[in-house]
Amino acid sequence: MKYLLFFSISLLFIPATFAQTNKAKDLVSKMTLDEKVSLLVGMGMNIPGMNMGGAPVVGQTMDKVPGAAGTTFGIPRLGIPNTVVSDGPAGLRIEPIRKNDSSKTYYATAWPVATLLASTWNTNLVEQVGKAMGNEVKEYGVDVILGPALNIHRNPLGGRNFEYFSEDPLISGKMTAAMVNGIEANGVGTSIKHFAANNQETNRNTVNTIVSERALREIYLKGFQIAIKESQPWTVMSSYNYINGKYTSEDYDLLTTILRKEWGFKGLVMTDWFGGKDPVAQMKAGNDLLMPGTAAQKKTILDAVNNGTLNAKVTDENAERLVEYILGSPSYKKTVFTNKPDLKAHAAIARVAAIEGMVLLKNEASALPLGKSTKNIAVFGNTSYDFISGGTGSGDVNEAYTISLVQGLSNAGYHVDEEIKNMYNNFISSEKAKQPQKSFFESFMNPNPPLPEFTVDNSLLLKKSTESDIALITIGRNAGEGRDRKTENDFYLSDAEKALIKNVGDAFHAKNKKVVVVLNIGGVIETVSWKDNADAIVLVWQPGLEAGNAVADILIGKVNPSGKLASTFPLKYEDVPSAKSFPGKEFPEKTTTGNFGMKMNPAEVTYEDGIYVGYRYYNSFHVKPAFEFGYGLSYTDFKFSNLTLSSKTFDKKIRAAITITNTGKVAGKEVAQLYISAPTGKLDKPAEELKGFVKTGLLQPGQSENITFTINAEDLASFNTDVTAWVADAGTYAVKIGSSSANIKQTANFNLLKEVVVEKCNKVMVPQVTINELHQ
Ligand code: BGC
């Protein structure tokens, strides 16, 4: 009896996943080989306007949620439904208007892009965004959103940087975990992507990323490792590129040895769309699901199992992981969805998040916030009237509206100069009418170039500088999937943009009036050549659908800016540590084109910058940036005091405590950034590495907050290739807490008496060539 009781109680405590695993095994054992393999290959994709060359795709269930990126195969006889996956990552990407259903709309919230969310340095807020985003996933009947995305901002020209968080793996990992936890709290899944080292769009499909084991582990894998540990996402998406000679989707060492065995990932791996080339190698690597799925892939896998070159055990295991995912999905659970998420409530959250990630880069003589006497605003720059909520490509969300800067200012009760407004609006509509009409697919991968900047003549500027109280100028940038940005007229401002800032600056400064520049951009640009003409610069990134309202909140001081850069703004492009090796080496013999007609050159990119990405480089090599990592101004001031360490000697962990006080006149939030300088032992170490960050609550003038950080052994460790392990060297470590990577307010030291091997790893993904890596 006693035993029976014990047995039945323990049954109650069997974790859901364990029961699910057994059920998955059982279901797979009941499948025919054809069913199993069908499950491992997605149901295909219908790209409007694109000739799929004789329908290489398996099937079409795109009607389940129109505009979704793909679906998995269903086996009704076993109760296995089709599940739906949809982009991601700045919100749910689905068709807003459905054929034969014109009475309803299916808009989703365009959230602030990841680069902005990272600039909040506020993981709680990002989790809230995730909760609301995940609610839309659920309410629109989608099972998995294809995001968040966390590739590293290796180079400012990366076309998809707006979808990614930061140049730093800790921020990328923490933000991803927060977002995943928020989204998945709704009972829907995420797919963290693109795993891994997919840091450029130029020839993303066949480029071979050559990278050292140390840089791979410390920079390009670290964020994924943190995200797996802290959020265990339902799925991971492998990337398109090769790493050290192997397609990531075909690399057992990456997807099984590292991801599953070392890090303990329990979920499903899917390919990026049409990624990789050998379905059998993908199966063997542990890439369970091939998306969106083609008939040819299915046949190749079936043939391989039938002729014995692919062990049926492999396909069984992959299918079990797929079924396990399906058993947890809303489609399987028949979760009721309304198709009516509360978009209004979500817009309010999007506005709060957008405000918190905006970065005040410059504020000379308190040009901002706009004073009470400011009534009439002269607003310049095409983008002020045609604001950019997010980037292009699969990361583009179909939102119902975007509030422009001028709308936001009007909503806040300001008078926007009508004459200038009409000129811009007329110019923009006539220029847009001249642009070529492109098909869905053409504009997806190759959107029309930005409109030429409208030229404002000097007599108008003279008049307006008299009539208006202040001038605002917006500089806009957009980019996305399929191509990287350029230096000319993109990283660097165009001549017309520079002339606009200069002429407006001259005219308004002559009348003793201020000029504010708003940067509505998704990636880093050059600022030094023009910043002297502006009294204030506000980096608003691509802030989602509530854009203009959020910018107005910052400009008028309704909310005090508290965003901090999560990627460095260099003085010039040549200063970027990867400038020489990005986007890679061209091989004249590679003349063919790959998927979707993409060029197969440059065929190789060697990460010669090694671990010196972003501030790790600028700080270690004393290269002064325009705005450093972690930088951002406020309308108030903060004092950092009383840094104390729990011990002078490290033993398993150390706590660091600090007090932050608002010493200014208005309420505000500050970020405590904890950097560690490690002793140079066997390896060279970056001057500083971020190991923790905490955003304060809203501190009233005079109010303080005490913050505590815990530093663990793994925070001290570097990846030592010789012993294939994370090792913390013995010596003196400096804990530096500051408001940016260059503005350290307090420092304290501790010692590690003996070297610690924190984690032993597998010797895998070794480059086959010598890399001429940057060293100090
Ligand atoms: C992108 C992925 C995206 C997928 C599905 C690919 O082209 O690289 O990020 O999730 O398409 O749309």
Side-chain angles (χ1 to χ4, degrees):
M1 177 63 195
K2 216 161 119 199
Y3 288 120
L4 195 65
L5 188 67
F6 172 77
F7 182 68
S8 47
I9 288 175
S10 59
L11 252 190
L12 289 178
F13 290 103
I14 286 179
T17 46
F18 185 69
Q20 223 157 278
T21 310
N22 279 341
K23 184 154 187 195
K25 274 193 190 328
D26 180 51
L27 282 167
V28 171
S29 72
K30 292 182 176 134
M31 289 177 196
T32 64
L33 179 62
D34 193 83
E35 282 171 336
K36 262 181 242 174
V37 176
S38 301
L39 203 59
L40 301 173
V41 178
M43 290 291 288
M45 185 183 200
N46 184 9
I47 303 178
M50 191 188 168
N51 178 0
M52 296 300 287
V57 290
V58 171
Q60 303 291 343
T61 60
M62 299 302 287
D63 289 345
K64 204 169 168 188
V65 179
T71 37
T72 60
F73 185 74
I75 310 174
R77 75 172 185 92
L78 296 174
I80 293 177
N82 302 109
T83 66
V84 181
V85 304
S86 205
D87 283 301
L92 184 69
R93 178 178 165 83
I94 55 173
E95 280 299 316
I97 313 281
R98 293 183 183 172
K99 273 194 223 131
N100 315 323
D101 188 9
S102 54
S103 63
K104 292 200 208 93
T105 56
Y106 299 81
Y107 289 107
T109 303
W111 298 92
V113 299
T115 307
L116 182 150
L117 292 177
S119 310
T120 67
W121 294 60
N122 184 344
T123 47
N124 292 335
L125 182 63
V126 172
E127 190 167 340
Q128 293 311 311
V129 169
K131 279 198 175 129
M133 190 190 290
N135 171 267
E136 293 182 21
V137 177
K138 174 178 154 231
E139 293 302 349
Y140 280 130
V142 171
D143 296 281
V144 169
I145 182 165
L146 303 173
L150 67 151
N151 295 102
I152 290 290
H153 293 168
R154 176 173 178 254
N155 187 290
L157 304 185
R160 295 184 82 171
N161 281 0
F162 78 96
E163 294 186 65
Y164 308 145
F165 293 106
S166 170
E167 67 189 20
D168 177 77
L170 180 77
I171 297 214
S172 306
K174 293 276 177 191
M175 291 293 160
T176 301
M179 184 60 98
V180 169
N181 287 329
I183 294 172
E184 295 195 351
N186 292 278
V188 297
T190 55
S191 192
I192 68 172
K193 66 188 186 185
H194 309 87
F195 190 57
N198 177 188
N199 305 98
Q200 65 188 59
E201 287 303 285
T202 312
N203 185 23
R204 64 175 175 168
N205 288 77
T206 59
V207 72
N208 182 20
T209 298
I210 299 174
V211 55
S212 71
E213 290 162 75
R214 181 176 179 196
L216 187 62
R217 297 274 186 167
E218 289 189 17
I219 307 292
Y220 300 101
L221 297 185
K222 188 74 185 173
F224 285 94
Q225 183 176 8
I226 294 169
I228 299 293
K229 187 170 154 206
E230 297 186 9
S231 65
Q232 195 58 252
W234 286 16
T235 84
V236 167
M237 185 190 292
S238 52
S239 56
Y240 283 126
N241 51 293
Y242 293 79
I243 299 180
N244 295 334
K246 276 193 192 153
Y247 264 125
T248 61
S249 61
E250 298 175 9
D251 192 350
Y252 181 89
D253 291 333
L254 179 67
L255 302 184
T256 300
T257 309
I258 293 182
L259 178 66
R260 292 196 165 100
K261 295 189 177 162
E262 287 187 10
W263 301 351
F265 175 60
K266 300 271 180 292
L268 167 86
V269 177
M270 66 176 85
T271 57
D272 197 348
W273 269 228
F274 302 102
K277 64 168 189 243
D278 178 353
V280 174
Q282 289 173 315
M283 288 297 121
K284 288 183 180 167
N287 198 318
D288 313 298
L289 174 62
L290 309 186
M291 290 301 281
T294 68
Q297 287 170 325
K298 183 181 159 186
K299 182 172 180 311
T300 308
I301 299 172
L302 269 176
D303 289 350
V305 177
N306 285 330
N307 68 26
T309 48
L310 177 60
N311 192 327
K313 258 176 70 186
V314 171
T315 42
D316 278 2
E317 253 181 50
N318 296 355
E320 279 160 20
R321 281 194 289 258
L322 247 145
V323 175
E324 241 181 273
Y325 142 69
I326 294 171
L327 293 176
S329 69
S331 286
Y332 179 80
K333 294 180 174 166
K334 301 202 169 50
T335 307
V336 178
F337 57 94
T338 60
N339 274 327
K340 277 201 197 110
D342 189 347
L343 294 178
K344 222 168 145 197
H346 294 174
I349 303 172
R351 180 167 172 173
V352 170
I355 295 166
E356 195 147 331
M358 293 180 178
V359 187
L360 183 61
L361 293 178
K362 176 175 179 181
N363 197 17
E364 208 89 318
S366 301
L368 289 175
L370 301 177
K372 294 245 161 5
S373 56
T374 305
K375 302 240 157 18
N376 298 316
I377 309 185
V379 184
F380 301 96
N382 296 346
T383 313
S384 294
Y385 299 85
D386 195 10
F387 226 65
I388 302 163
S389 58
T392 61
S394 62
D396 186 6
V397 180
N398 295 312
E399 71 277 18
Y401 63 86
T402 297
I403 305 283
S404 70
L405 177 62
V406 281
Q407 274 171 284
L409 289 168
S410 305
N411 294 347
Y414 286 84
H415 179 258
V416 171
D417 189 282
E418 285 291 323
E419 191 180 354
I420 307 178
K421 181 171 155 183
N422 291 337
M423 280 183 174
Y424 270 101
N425 281 338
N426 291 340
F427 174 76
I428 290 169
S429 36
S430 81
E431 285 299 316
K432 278 196 173 163
K434 288 186 210 156
Q435 289 196 318
Q437 293 297 313
K438 290 186 170 173
S439 71
F440 168 84
F441 189 68
E442 281 167 338
S443 64
F444 182 79
M445 291 300 247
N446 188 12
N448 282 325
L451 304 179
E453 192 58 53
F454 177 59
T455 315
V456 188
D457 70 58
N458 282 336
S459 58
L460 183 81
L461 281 180
L462 197 65
K463 182 172 153 214
K464 292 302 165 187
S465 59
T466 311
E467 290 171 6
S468 324
D469 300 316
I470 193 166
L472 293 189
I473 305 167
T474 304
I475 298 298
R477 286 289 179 277
N478 213 350
E481 187 169 0
R483 20 163 77 198
D484 290 313
R485 295 169 56 208
K486 297 201 161 51
T487 48
E488 286 317 297
N489 301 327
D490 196 343
F491 177 78
Y492 290 104
L493 266 55
S494 68
D495 290 344
E497 288 169 328
K498 282 194 194 159
L500 176 71
I501 299 176
K502 167 128 188 26
N503 296 342
V504 172
D506 288 350
F508 278 71
H509 290 150
K511 301 274 165 55
N512 223 358
K513 290 177 182 167
K514 307 266 169 92
V515 175
V516 176
V517 173
V518 171
L519 299 179
N520 181 202
I521 58 183
V524 167
I525 62 166
E526 183 271 336
T527 52
V528 192
S529 63
W530 54 268
K531 78 173 177 193
D532 287 347
N533 298 317
D535 300 282
I537 305 172
V538 195
L539 168 60
V540 307
W541 295 117
Q542 294 170 340
L545 81 182
E546 281 289 316
N549 287 333
V551 182
D553 288 339
I554 289 283
L555 295 178
I556 67 181
K558 193 169 154 194
V559 185
N560 191 348
S562 65
K564 304 271 183 176
L565 295 180
S567 283
T568 308
F569 274 56
L571 287 175
K572 52 185 192 304
Y573 181 70
E574 290 69 30
D575 288 346
V576 173
S578 58
K580 287 206 195 83
S581 54
F582 180 93
K585 198 169 151 200
E586 303 257 344
F587 289 78
E589 68 278 14
K590 295 243 171 196
T591 49
T592 45
T593 50
N595 278 352
F596 305 124
M598 273 185 164
K599 252 179 71 183
M600 288 176 77
N601 256 323
E604 240 175 54
V605 56
T606 306
Y607 286 9
E608 285 167 356
D609 40 338
I611 56 163
Y612 293 107
V613 176
Y615 70 91
R616 284 170 168 76
Y617 169 76
Y618 297 101
N619 288 12
S620 307
F621 291 84
H622 309 289
V623 178
K624 203 180 147 14
F627 299 108
E628 75 270 10
F629 177 82
Y631 173 89
L633 301 173
S634 163
Y635 297 149
T636 189
D637 296 308
F638 295 95
K639 194 175 110 200
F640 289 57
S641 59
N642 300 333
L643 170 60
T644 49
L645 299 184
S646 58
S647 169
K648 282 267 146 208
T649 312
F650 188 89
D651 180 23
K652 298 208 176 66
K653 58 172 81 148
I654 269 190
R655 275 188 312 282
I658 194 152
T659 305
I660 297 188
T661 310
N662 181 350
T663 54
K665 295 202 175 60
V666 290
K669 296 182 183 179
E670 175 60 301
V671 180
Q673 307 172 22
L674 185 151
Y675 297 88
I676 287 195
S677 302
T680 311
K682 294 184 189 121
L683 309 173
D684 61 337
K685 302 284 167 88
E688 279 91 23
E689 288 188 282
L690 184 76
K691 295 296 174 180
F693 59 93
V694 173
K695 191 154 201 178
T696 66
L698 185 69
L699 297 179
Q700 297 301 323
Q703 196 183 344
S704 298
E705 187 173 316
N706 298 324
I707 289 170
T708 310
F709 294 94
T710 304
I711 302 164
N712 296 307
E714 64 187 69
D715 299 320
L716 313 182
S718 303
F719 189 82
N720 186 328
T721 311
D722 291 341
V723 291
T724 319
W726 290 91
V727 179
D729 286 320
T732 303
Y733 288 77
V735 175
K736 301 175 172 178
I737 301 187
S739 64
S740 86
S741 58
N743 194 359
I744 301 300
K745 306 279 191 175
Q746 301 242 296
T747 304
N749 293 342
F750 65 83
N751 290 312
L752 177 65
L753 300 177
K754 248 182 78 200
E755 174 189 286
V756 180
V757 177
V758 179
E759 193 194 339
K760 192 89 186 93
C761 300
N762 293 286
K763 185 106 197 132
V764 289
M765 303 189 77
V766 180
Q768 296 146 346
V769 290
T770 312
I771 303 173
N772 185 15
E773 246 188 359
L774 187 61
H775 285 290
Q776 285 186 72

